[in-house]
Amino acid sequence: MTLKDEESVQRQQGPEDDPGMGIVLAFGRQLKLLRIRAGLDRAEFGRLMGYSAETVASIEQGRRIPQARFIDKADEVLGADGVLTALKEEVGRAQYPTFFRDMARLEAKATALNVYAVYAVPGLLQTEDYARAVFHIQRPLLDDDVIEQRLEARMVRQEIFCRRPAPLMSFVIEEAVLRRPIGGPKVMREALEQILVASQSRNVEVQVMPIEREDNAALGGPFSLIDTDKGQRLAYAEVQDHSRLYTDTRYVRTLEARYGILRSQALTPSESVAFIEQLMGDT
C-alpha cells in the first residue's frame, strides 16, 4: 500500500503472507554472518549479549523479532559500525500486526493526531499492564512471544510524547471505554491515572463522550486523523484486524467535520478531567 492510492486496500494479518518478516529474515542472516566473522559461536555471543544461545538461534533464523536494545548491543559487540542499527526501524515495524504497520510509520512522524476511541483506551495512552491485558484477552489466543513483541512495540509508540517539536494530540474517548475494567480494577485505575497524566501536557487534549448524550456524530465507529510530516492529512480506521488508510480529500474532510462535531458534543477537557477523577473515586 502506498499513499498514492486513493484508498488503501484492506489488510488482514496472516503469518503465511507477511511482508514484514522479510526484513526479519534478512536481519537474522546478517547477524549470523557478522557473528561468524567475529569468530563467535552462538553460546559465546549469547553470553556477551546476555541472551541464551537458543534466543540467538531464533533471531538468526528469523523466528523471533529482536528488540531494539538487542540490535543496539549486537551492533556494538560485533563491531558492525551501524550495519545492524540501520535496520532497527524496519525490524521494529515488523513487531506490529500487519494491518497496523503503515499507521505506525505515519504516527511516529505525525505533526498532529486526532483519535476517536470506542472499544478500548487508545494505544498511545495505555499503561503496560493494560496493554498486556488487552493482548491476553484477544481471541484466538496470541503466543507469549507475540504478546511480548507487541507489548514492546506499543510502549515504543509512546515515545511520541517525548518528541520535539511536540505533535498536537486530541483524544475523544467513549465513557464505556473508561468503565470497561480490562485487566481488573487495579489495572483500570492505573489506566485512568495515565490518561490524566497525559492530559496535563500542553499538546494533549482528552475529552470524554458521555453515554447520556443524545447526539453522537460518529456512530460509524472509531477512526483517527493524521497530519503527516509531509503536510498531508490522512484518515485511518480499523476493525476486526482489518484497516484502511484514506487519502481521498473529500472523504478525509468528511471525517474532519465529523471529529469536530464530536468534540463539540463531548465534555470539555476540564470537564473530562473531573469526570475521570470521579470514576477513579468510584473504583
Side-chain angles (χ1 to χ4, degrees):
M1 180 176 66
T2 69
L3 298 186
K4 294 180 181 179
D5 297 328
E6 177 176 312
E7 182 178 300
S8 70
V9 296
Q10 293 185 352
R11 294 284 188 92
Q12 183 174 20
Q13 183 186 3
E16 73 282 354
D17 184 23
D18 187 349
M21 294 310 294
I23 189 66
V24 176
L25 289 168
F27 177 88
R29 294 188 186 108
Q30 188 67 59
L31 177 68
K32 182 177 180 179
L33 288 172
L34 290 168
R35 174 180 61 77
I36 292 173
R37 188 189 69 174
L40 299 171
D41 62 28
R42 284 174 177 159
E44 292 170 329
F45 177 59
R47 281 194 294 273
L48 292 173
M49 292 285 296
Y51 291 84
S52 68
E54 290 76 14
T55 297
V56 173
S58 294
I59 293 173
E60 289 184 348
Q61 294 163 10
R63 294 183 288 107
R64 180 168 181 169
I65 302 173
Q67 299 177 342
R69 59 180 177 270
F70 178 96
I71 296 175
D72 288 335
K73 189 167 184 180
D75 197 273
E76 178 184 348
V77 168
L78 297 175
D81 297 325
V83 170
L84 295 178
T85 55
L87 300 172
K88 186 164 62 173
E89 183 176 346
E90 291 297 324
V91 171
R93 195 172 297 129
Q95 295 182 94
Y96 298 107
T98 308
F99 64 84
F100 189 74
R101 287 178 190 156
D102 290 299
M103 178 57 180
R105 174 175 54 83
L106 293 169
E107 182 184 81
K109 298 180 180 180
T111 59
L113 287 169
N114 299 286
V115 180
Y116 175 44
V118 175
Y119 305 119
V121 173
L124 290 175
L125 298 178
Q126 292 180 8
T127 64
E128 185 172 333
D129 285 341
Y130 183 97
R132 181 177 282 106
V134 169
F135 293 134
H136 269 285
I137 64 178
Q138 185 168 325
R139 297 296 187 274
L141 294 171
L142 298 175
D143 291 339
D144 289 343
D145 284 349
V146 173
I147 289 175
E148 292 307 311
Q149 289 168 4
R150 293 192 183 178
L151 183 62
E152 182 185 17
R154 181 152 298 180
M155 295 301 100
V156 167
R157 286 174 58 199
Q158 296 182 7
E159 292 176 359
I160 192 172
F161 290 100
C162 302
R163 273 180 39 203
R164 294 295 180 271
L168 297 175
M169 289 184 276
S170 165
F171 300 89
V172 177
I173 306 174
E174 285 288 337
E175 177 184 341
V177 168
L178 305 177
R179 292 189 179 276
R180 184 172 294 121
I182 292 177
K186 180 177 182 294
V187 169
M188 195 64 220
R189 181 180 178 83
E190 291 172 350
L192 295 176
E193 289 176 349
Q194 174 109 326
I195 293 171
L196 288 177
V197 170
S199 71
Q200 300 307 306
S201 299
R202 290 190 300 147
N203 63 311
V204 178
E205 288 193 338
V206 175
Q207 293 179 254
V208 176
M209 172 58 80
I211 294 173
E212 65 183 17
R213 285 288 195 264
E214 293 184 6
D215 294 326
N216 186 313
L219 290 178
F223 64 93
S224 299
L225 297 169
I226 314 108
D227 288 0
T228 74
D229 59 337
K230 306 298 183 183
Q232 296 173 287
R233 171 160 279 190
L234 310 174
Y236 173 83
E238 69 177 58
V239 62
Q240 297 296 336
D241 296 344
H242 285 71
S243 68
R244 278 189 174 180
L245 187 65
Y246 299 95
T247 61
D248 176 68
T249 302
R250 286 188 298 177
Y251 187 67
V252 171
R253 285 178 178 170
T254 296
L255 291 181
E256 285 177 350
R258 193 171 294 169
Y259 192 81
I261 297 170
L262 192 67
R263 291 193 67 181
S264 71
Q265 295 168 334
L267 298 177
T268 66
S270 58
E271 290 171 340
S272 298
V273 167
F275 183 89
I276 295 171
E277 288 175 340
Q278 182 179 349
L279 274 183
M280 291 176 61
D282 295 339
T283 57

